[in-house]
Amino acid sequence: ADLMLRMVNLMVDSYLDLRKQLTTSLDHWQAELLNPHTRFNNWTSLMSARNELHTLEDLCEEQHDAMQEWLDTLREQPLGQSTQSERDGLVARSRDVIEHIERVVHHVRRLEQSAETVVQIHFSAQSNRTNDIMRTLTALTAVFLPLNLITGFFGMNFETFPFIHSTNGLWWTLGSMVCIAATMGLLFWRKRYLARTGR
């Protein structure tokens, strides 16, 4: 029993080493996911790390159940040749192993939750950036829409059109178009539709 507990404890300690490696990898990927200047395309490695976390969690839960069942059996069986102090030592060591397993499960679940949270933050940031781009493009379209209307209006082939035969008609039209564009641009800038967000 003592040898079995030592072996299980050694396995659980190796899980802790694996957890450290996965933590390092996930921290690196989280930094890449949250960096707005890089395009993250390492989804295969991230999903395989999540699968490894799931496998580790399943292993730990199975070992936890087996250790708990063995501990219950140890408490219920008669003393026989072993003394009370030996049994108490085995119970204490079993509880220690179970506590190590629970600690690994806790860390694994925390890592899974952290990975899921950072992926959600990544997609929220992507959506926010897309919304900013669409807002800017919409504002620019709204600025150029009246200018297109004016040029289309004066592009009609009617002889009795105002300003058509005037020598200053072109300059009045250009001036009004610049004023309209500047006014709408200033309005959208003040409403922060064209402002650069500080990210």
Side-chain angles (χ1 to χ4, degrees):
D2 186 60
L3 180 61
M4 182 271 295
L5 287 174
R6 288 178 186 274
M7 290 171 64
V8 173
N9 199 20
L10 191 64
M11 280 196 297
V12 174
D13 288 343
S14 70
Y15 294 161
L16 287 171
D17 294 337
L18 179 62
R19 178 189 60 86
K20 288 175 187 173
Q21 293 173 8
L22 288 171
T23 303
T24 306
S25 300
L26 283 173
D27 287 344
H28 172 70
W29 291 326
Q30 284 175 0
E32 273 190 46
L33 275 168
L34 295 179
N35 188 355
H37 303 296
T38 59
R39 181 183 286 272
F40 185 79
N41 54 9
N42 209 357
W43 294 105
T44 309
S45 301
L46 183 61
M47 293 310 293
S48 91
R50 279 193 65 198
N51 289 339
E52 287 178 17
L53 285 172
H54 284 306
T55 305
L56 184 58
E57 184 180 2
D58 292 341
L59 265 172
C60 287
E61 285 179 351
E62 288 171 5
Q63 285 186 347
H64 183 275
D65 292 342
M67 286 299 302
Q68 191 64 49
E69 190 176 336
W70 186 80
L71 184 60
D72 294 340
T73 306
L74 181 66
R75 286 179 182 149
E76 290 169 2
Q77 73 181 8
L79 276 175
Q81 293 180 347
S82 62
T83 62
Q84 185 66 34
S85 62
E86 288 176 355
R87 179 185 282 184
D88 291 343
L90 288 174
V91 167
R93 183 163 287 184
S94 301
R95 284 183 181 157
D96 188 46
V97 171
I98 288 173
E99 186 181 323
H100 278 193
I101 294 172
E102 287 172 352
R103 195 171 69 187
V104 172
V105 170
H106 172 72
H107 286 305
V108 165
R109 286 180 181 158
R110 195 188 70 202
L111 283 173
E112 284 179 350
Q113 186 177 6
S114 174
E116 287 173 8
T117 303
V118 89
V119 167
Q120 289 173 0
I121 291 172
H122 169 74
F123 283 119
S124 296
Q126 290 283 90
S127 175
N128 199 21
R129 279 196 288 273
T130 305
N131 289 340
D132 285 345
I133 292 169
M134 290 305 296
R135 184 185 63 197
T136 304
L137 290 176
T138 304
L140 288 173
T141 304
V143 167
F144 284 100
L145 189 63
L147 306 183
N148 286 333
L149 179 66
I150 291 172
T151 55
F153 189 71
F154 281 99
M156 292 188 283
N157 294 322
F158 293 118
E159 288 293 326
T160 59
F161 226 66
F163 297 119
I164 286 286
H165 299 292
S166 172
T167 55
N168 294 328
L170 173 67
W171 303 114
W172 280 105
T173 306
L174 277 176
S176 64
M177 288 170 72
V178 167
C179 285
I180 290 171
T183 304
M184 292 188 74
L186 184 63
L187 177 70
F188 289 145
W189 187 269
R190 290 193 65 172
K191 287 184 175 273
R192 296 178 183 262
Y193 294 160
L194 293 172
R196 181 183 288 272
T197 54
R199 270 192 294 276

